[in-house]
Amino acid sequence: MWDEFCQDLEPVSGSGELSDLQDKYLSRKRGLISLELRKLGALTPQERSEAGQQLNELKAQVQAALSERQAKFKEEERRLQLATERIDVTLPGYEAARGGIHPLRRVWRQMEEISVRMGFTVVSGPEIESDYYNFEALNIPKGHPARDDQDTLYLSDSLLLRTHTSPVQIRTMEKQDPPLKIVVPGRVYRRDATDATHSPMFHQMEGLVVDEGITLADLKGTLEVFLKELFSADTQVRFRPSYFPFVEPGAEVDISCIFCSGKGCRVCKSSGWIEIMGAGMVHSRVFEMVGYDWDKYTGFAWGMGIDRIAQLKYQVDDSRLFFENDIRFLRQF
Ligand SMILES: [Zn+2]
């Protein structure tokens, strides 16, 4: 039977087949050796002892052979596993995706940092405003044509989403006596259809300086320094007379085109200048509303769109890209 077993064992190539072979010879009910052992009862005591010893030796040999083969399979499996699951520690690791700062927030921060370096305090205020703070206190009474320019999103007869950051000027002046030097960055809302340069929500930064003896020259000097810091040292700044209800005199502020350095291009419509913000000396009517002595104090204010600055700085034609948050766009910053 040993020879037969050896013939059976030879072609066995896996643990499953080996288990079948073990059943064939050693299974308690049907195993060939078990069956032989059962036949011993019919023999004489002397024959039984001799045959029993032979069978037990055979059984031990078979078991040993099976165990040996089993061990060999295990070792092969392990070797295979090591070969296929080997880790090459010299390969570079996976790079973890890193987040970035949104381009609008980047410009927002830069504008804040420049202002803080120039001695301004950053303040904020509510986005839901009353008609009083958004319009009345800024010298825009009911029926004033300037209200039509700012398509307002009303929440009720007296509450609205602020159309500019200027209400925070009023709130700050009500709480604080001059001297005052603040900037107010924040979200503002208009009832505008979305296109390349309009959005119902955008960002502004407002500035306000109030003290004794503040003049238009201070306004010009401050904005020149600010804009040269924000764009570049060779940026030219010019002021054109304009009208805003809460300042007198008022001005539109232009910078020399950052794309063509004033030579004329598509962005500046060949003029060499880009309009960047509105500014002016604070209207005496506004000081009156907050209880400032307008014989004693003067001040200036300005406001600009953070989104517009970001569009110019990063040369983004369409402001919608800032809000769609397509990761392919944002990854460029
Ligand atoms: Zn240009």
Side-chain angles (χ1 to χ4, degrees), residues 5-23:
F5 170 76
C6 288
Q7 270 175 20
D8 282 347
L9 183 62
E10 182 65 28
V12 167
S13 62
S15 294
E17 288 175 40
L18 199 65
S19 168
D20 291 344
L21 193 60
Q22 180 165 1
D23 277 352

Side-chain angles (χ1 to χ4, degrees), residues 8-263:
D8 282 347
L9 183 62
E10 182 65 28
V12 167
S13 62
S15 294
E17 288 175 40
L18 199 65
S19 168
D20 291 344
L21 193 60
Q22 180 165 1
D23 277 352
K24 180 177 174 186
Y25 287 90
L26 299 175
S27 155
R28 199 171 291 180
K29 277 187 182 165
R30 284 165 290 115
L32 295 175
I33 293 174
S34 310
L35 291 175
E36 287 301 316
L37 282 166
R38 228 170 282 157
K39 286 181 195 160
L40 292 178
L43 300 176
T44 63
Q46 202 194 336
E47 287 170 330
R48 193 188 304 157
S49 150
E50 206 174 307
Q53 199 183 343
Q54 278 177 1
L55 278 173
N56 278 323
E57 272 170 22
L58 176 66
K59 190 178 169 181
Q61 265 183 311
V62 166
Q63 268 168 341
L66 288 169
S67 299
E68 192 190 338
R69 185 58 70 92
Q70 182 66 28
K72 209 174 270 178
F73 287 152
K74 278 236 172 86
E75 199 188 309
E76 264 167 38
E77 265 171 42
R78 178 98 184 109
R79 202 178 299 139
L80 199 70
Q81 191 187 14
L82 283 174
T84 53
E85 296 175 14
R86 191 162 147 252
I87 293 167
D88 185 348
V89 293
T90 64
L91 285 174
Y94 295 107
E95 198 182 342
R98 250 184 302 171
I101 298 168
H102 192 283
L104 285 181
R105 178 63 73 172
R106 224 174 252 275
V107 172
W108 175 321
R109 279 192 189 175
Q110 196 195 353
M111 288 165 73
E112 272 187 4
E113 278 164 16
I114 296 168
S115 308
V116 169
R117 279 208 300 279
M118 291 172 74
F120 286 85
T121 304
V122 180
V123 296
S124 60
E127 289 172 26
I128 294 176
E129 264 300 357
S130 66
D131 186 274
Y132 176 80
Y133 283 108
N134 197 78
F135 291 125
E136 296 272 342
L138 287 157
N139 200 27
I140 315 173
K142 288 204 166 64
H144 194 287
R147 289 202 180 205
D148 300 337
D149 304 339
Q150 305 191 356
D151 282 325
T152 310
L153 291 157
Y154 282 92
L155 300 172
S156 70
D157 283 346
S158 56
L159 287 179
L160 48 83
L161 291 173
R162 67 180 180 189
T163 57
H164 44 190
T165 43
S166 312
V168 186
Q169 291 187 14
I170 304 296
R171 290 179 174 277
T172 310
M173 287 192 283
E174 277 181 351
K175 280 182 286 195
Q176 209 179 314
D177 288 328
L180 207 68
K181 220 174 156 190
I182 59 164
V183 288
V184 187
R187 290 188 200 92
V188 298
Y189 303 84
R190 303 273 171 96
R191 208 174 56 209
D192 266 333
T194 306
D195 65 23
T197 51
H198 294 86
S199 162
M201 188 279 289
F202 56 101
H203 304 82
Q204 268 190 349
M205 194 167 94
E206 186 99 3
L208 174 70
V209 174
V210 183
D211 202 352
E212 289 179 50
I214 297 288
T215 69
L216 196 62
D218 295 311
L219 164 63
K220 285 193 76 172
T222 303
L223 291 185
E224 266 195 45
V225 170
F226 182 87
L227 290 169
K228 281 175 194 286
E229 283 280 312
L230 188 58
F231 291 100
S232 67
D234 56 2
T235 302
Q236 300 292 305
V237 181
R238 79 173 183 187
F239 291 71
R240 286 178 291 115
S242 186
Y243 169 77
F244 303 101
F246 32 89
V247 289
E248 178 56 37
E252 299 270 10
V253 182
D254 299 337
I255 54 166
S256 52
C257 181
I258 53 174
F259 301 103
C260 65
S261 310
K263 284 189 211 77

